[in-house]
Amino acid sequence: MKSNVWFKAGIVVIYGSSIDASPHRHHTIQLAWPRNGYGCKLDNNEISTPVIIDSNVEHQLQIDEGWILLVEPTSELGGELSKKLAGQPSKVFKVPLPTIKHTEYIDDLTVLLSPLFDSLALSNQFPLINESQIADHRIKKLLHELNQCLDGKCLKPSNWRASDVAQKLALSESRFLHLFSQELGIPWRPYLLWCRMMCAVRAILNGESATDAAHLAGFSDSAHLSRTFRKTFGMTIRQANAIFKKS
């Protein structure tokens, strides 16, 4: 395969097999799609069609093979998925899905995910263009800067102290922290921790050791990164790395 993991603004797309996560929760909305003919369990209940799991809902997911999309709740796609949940913590969609092939010849998300998005009446352009719905222009600009990490242009973690960010935005630190939580529904520190974890994952996929990836992303050490990763995804970095790199 050309790729098993894609990082885009507001969304992380993963294709993997033998995914077996213990109970966990994260701030992103999760869309899981087991490949046709392959098993999938959500909280020990068998499912065979797409499922959406809301932000901060604890869940346990096992997929023999298939797709996982992690979507920022405040993005356009996050808003559409929230509408489909209609206040439910999770929702399984009983829709017929055509067979999708994930091969080394295709690395275009609009093509790969079209069957899924079509079945849920969503635009297949969302994986590529998933704009933030944040209203405050200062916070929106900040998120754009954070998204530079997705292109491998990570800024040093020392640049992201709340006091420094607040000063750059011409806000007091307390006002910035309140505004950020108000706009995104998550405090600054855990959101930044999520961004750093994505940065570390990219580094590991690019061949860095867990220790070097932790340092690059601003974690105190590899143990801190490992604890955070397991708490967030219900599996170890080693397990995840094996899933990401399967062909």
Side-chain angles (χ1 to χ4, degrees):
M1 294 180 189
K2 285 187 177 181
S3 182
N4 273 17
V5 187
W6 295 258
F7 296 88
K8 302 289 183 181
I11 183 172
V12 178
V13 180
I14 301 164
Y15 186 90
S17 59
S18 302
I19 299 169
D20 187 2
S22 59
H24 63 286
R25 69 177 73 219
H26 39 70
H27 86 281
T28 54
I29 297 174
Q30 182 163 319
L31 172 56
W33 176 20
R35 185 173 177 179
N36 284 11
Y38 288 79
C40 179
K41 288 184 179 180
L42 174 63
D43 298 331
N44 294 316
N45 296 313
E46 293 277 357
I47 61 174
S48 57
T49 51
V51 58
I52 300 175
I53 305 164
D54 204 0
S55 169
N56 290 316
V57 171
E58 185 175 84
H59 58 281
Q60 182 175 9
L61 191 66
Q62 299 164 294
I63 300 181
D64 289 345
E65 187 169 329
W67 295 87
I68 291 178
L69 283 65
L70 302 173
V71 183
E72 289 289 345
T74 55
S75 68
E76 291 182 338
L77 177 55
E80 291 299 316
L81 295 180
S82 291
K83 290 178 185 177
K84 293 187 178 296
L85 280 168
Q88 300 177 65
S90 64
K91 185 174 180 180
V92 177
F93 290 82
K94 302 294 184 181
V95 292
L97 289 175
T99 300
I100 187 170
K101 294 182 179 180
H102 184 54
T103 74
E104 60 182 339
Y105 305 111
I106 302 175
D107 201 19
D108 184 341
L109 288 177
T110 60
V111 174
L112 290 169
L113 293 173
S114 279
L116 171 63
F117 279 64
D118 289 346
S119 69
L120 297 178
L122 295 167
S123 167
N124 72 344
Q125 295 301 306
F126 272 130
L128 301 181
I129 305 172
N130 186 25
E131 294 289 341
S132 170
Q133 297 185 103
I134 297 301
D136 189 278
H137 70 279
R138 295 161 296 188
I139 301 300
K140 198 165 187 175
K141 182 180 178 181
L142 173 61
L143 295 179
H144 177 73
E145 290 183 23
L146 284 168
N147 284 337
Q148 289 182 26
C149 286
L150 301 178
D151 296 323
K153 303 173 184 176
C154 272
L155 303 179
K156 290 294 183 182
S158 58
N159 292 349
W160 300 113
R161 283 192 293 265
S163 58
D164 294 338
V165 175
Q167 184 176 25
K168 186 177 180 180
L169 299 179
L171 296 169
S172 68
E173 183 175 348
S174 60
R175 174 58 183 152
F176 162 65
L177 293 174
H178 174 77
L179 181 62
F180 190 90
S181 295
Q182 183 181 54
E183 290 287 313
L184 274 85
I186 179 175
W188 169 245
R189 287 189 65 184
Y191 184 85
L192 184 59
L193 190 64
W194 170 267
C195 292
R196 287 175 172 172
M197 189 160 51
M198 292 301 99
C199 180
V201 169
R202 277 192 71 98
I204 290 171
L205 291 174
N206 288 334
E208 299 285 354
S209 68
T211 299
D212 289 342
H215 175 71
L216 288 169
F219 288 89
S220 56
D221 52 33
S222 60
H224 181 203
L225 170 60
S226 297
R227 289 194 303 271
T228 304
F229 192 94
R230 188 178 184 90
K231 181 180 178 181
T232 305
F233 294 113
M235 65 180 72
T236 66
I237 290 177
R238 180 174 293 181
Q239 288 173 310
N241 202 28
I243 291 167
F244 296 160
K245 292 188 175 181
K246 280 185 179 178
S247 58

